[in-house]
Amino acid sequence: MPASDGTSGPAHRPAPETAPRHRVVVLALDGVIPFELGIPQRIFGRARDAAGRPLYEVVTCSVRAPGPVRSDADFAILVEHGPRALATADTVVIPASYELGPVYEEGRLTGELAAALAHIRPGTRLISICTGSYVLAAAGLLDGRPATTHWASAAHFQQLFPQVEVDADVLFIDDGDVLTSAGVAAGIDLCVHLVRRDHGTAVANDVARRTVVPPHRDGGQAQYIQRPVPEPRLATTAAARAWALDRLDQPLRLHDLAARESMSVRTFTRRFREEVGVSPGHWLTRQRVDRARHLLESTDLSVDQVARAAGFGTAQSMRQHLQTALGVTPTTYRRTFRTLTPT
């Protein structure tokens, strides 16, 4: 330690100041699903900056004083924070629970839950995982906004909250300060997406790699909804997708993709949508947008060069697609994320 009594000693240089970590508070309700409760800690807790410092602080709280909270499994969870922790949050996450009571049945908050949510500061980012969206909707926080939930609950959710714009086909919806995800593992997709939004693709990919999950999943909930299938089908479109990903900088025709799987264009398009949840054209555009984002973040290529490498052909075409997908121009996107992500 440096000398503190006036005697000579090694020169003391104060440690450089670091910005406070983004605080994520997870609200554990009775009946909480342990898997979903653990997603925020697993994803946000793995995010590190270039020096290896944690980028988030994750804590869990209850609507009551610290103590046990029932889960839907055969064990309780000991929560060390009460509802006042919500007042310290930069982001609040509400995982699904099987004991929502009047929230699920009548679309209204209990007095205890309403009192807990009242601690949340204005401007705090709000996230729901699966049927945690019922809590946000019952609190009036989704009125007039797009939202999603588990596909099996979507019809009930829409009936209970007609003022919410429900989309049951997507994995998650980012509406700025309020984000909702579909069932179970879609909570992982949403949290990885937020890491990407906060700190760039490189950090998000590192988190995904460490957690052994894809940094981005194609399609939406449509691919997981159970539908009657006339007969088993062994053929898939996976090989065509892999082939296309290796050639995004080249013109890719639907006929060429179908030929890779020895299918007619009509059969390939139908099979592709069943497996991926979107059309081949939509999927290709999304892959090219992702390629462009990566190149804008991690290289010094000009906008024209990025457009060609991502398969858009011209900077104008890429600009239109990024504006539609991300709401920003390529130059604005690069300016934002090159300051967050080392090359």
Side-chain angles (χ1 to χ4, degrees):
M1 295 180 65
S4 58
D5 57 357
T7 60
S8 61
H12 175 61
R13 295 180 181 177
E17 293 185 6
T18 57
R21 286 182 289 168
H22 186 104
R23 188 174 175 90
V24 178
V25 178
V26 186
L27 181 58
L29 302 172
D30 282 328
V32 68
I33 302 172
F35 178 89
E36 298 179 26
L37 178 65
I39 289 173
Q41 174 61 50
R42 188 67 180 174
I43 301 301
F44 294 120
R46 292 295 183 276
R48 299 287 191 272
D49 65 13
R53 292 181 295 254
L55 292 167
Y56 300 89
E57 176 187 15
V58 185
V59 300
T60 305
C61 76
S62 167
V63 296
R64 299 182 294 273
V69 173
R70 294 191 305 275
S71 75
D72 81 320
D74 62 341
F75 55 83
I77 298 165
L78 183 61
V79 177
E80 298 184 358
H81 300 275
R84 292 186 182 276
L86 293 168
T88 70
D90 298 302
T91 294
V92 170
V93 182
I94 304 178
S97 163
Y98 282 136
E99 296 183 24
L100 291 176
V103 174
Y104 183 86
E105 297 161 3
E106 304 168 33
R108 65 175 179 86
L109 300 175
T110 63
E112 185 178 54
L113 181 52
L117 296 179
H119 289 288
I120 299 175
R121 297 171 298 169
T124 300
R125 187 165 61 185
L126 304 173
I127 300 173
S128 67
I129 298 178
C130 193
T131 54
S133 55
Y134 278 77
V135 175
L136 296 181
L141 298 168
L142 297 180
D143 289 0
R145 305 185 76 148
T148 192
T149 191
H150 193 292
W151 63 265
S153 299
H156 176 260
F157 184 86
Q158 183 68 92
Q159 183 179 17
L160 196 61
F161 304 108
Q163 65 275 27
V164 180
E165 301 171 13
V166 181
D167 186 345
D169 292 333
V170 296
L171 294 175
F172 61 82
I173 289 179
D174 180 345
D175 196 35
D177 59 337
V178 179
L179 303 94
T180 53
S181 71
V184 198
I188 298 176
D189 298 300
L190 175 53
C191 290
V192 172
H193 163 76
L194 268 179
V195 172
R196 182 182 298 108
R197 196 179 96 175
D198 290 347
H199 299 288
T201 299
V203 175
N205 286 353
D206 182 65
V207 169
R209 189 179 304 112
R210 292 176 181 274
T211 316
V212 199
V213 298
H216 174 80
R217 277 199 294 166
D218 296 316
Q221 292 195 82
Q223 59 190 310
Y224 302 104
I225 300 174
Q226 185 174 7
R227 296 185 176 94
V229 179
E231 59 186 31
R233 293 168 174 170
L234 298 179
T236 74
T237 62
R241 296 200 300 275
W243 180 81
L245 287 175
D246 287 337
R247 296 164 176 80
L248 286 180
D249 60 331
Q250 304 173 20
L252 295 171
R253 300 180 304 167
L254 183 57
H255 175 80
D256 297 329
L257 292 172
R260 299 298 303 180
E261 304 290 1
S262 300
M263 297 180 190
S264 68
V265 169
R266 181 177 180 181
T267 298
F268 178 84
T269 301
R270 184 180 70 251
R271 192 74 52 79
F272 194 101
R273 188 179 288 276
E274 290 172 354
E275 294 178 6
V276 181
V278 295
S279 69
H282 189 167
W283 179 84
L284 271 175
T285 298
R286 182 180 297 164
Q287 304 313 309
R288 285 178 164 143
V289 167
D290 286 347
R291 176 71 58 83
R293 290 171 65 177
H294 172 71
L295 294 174
L296 289 169
E297 290 180 29
S298 60
T299 74
D300 292 319
L301 295 175
S302 69
V303 171
D304 286 319
Q305 289 173 317
V306 170
R308 289 193 294 270
F312 288 116
T314 66
Q316 178 62 26
S317 175
M318 182 175 73
R319 188 175 296 110
Q320 292 174 348
H321 281 97
L322 260 67
Q323 190 76 48
T324 299
L326 308 176
V328 296
T329 64
T331 302
T332 301
Y333 184 86
R334 168 171 272 172
R335 185 184 306 121
T336 299
F337 286 97
R338 283 296 292 272
T339 60
L340 294 174
T341 308
T343 59

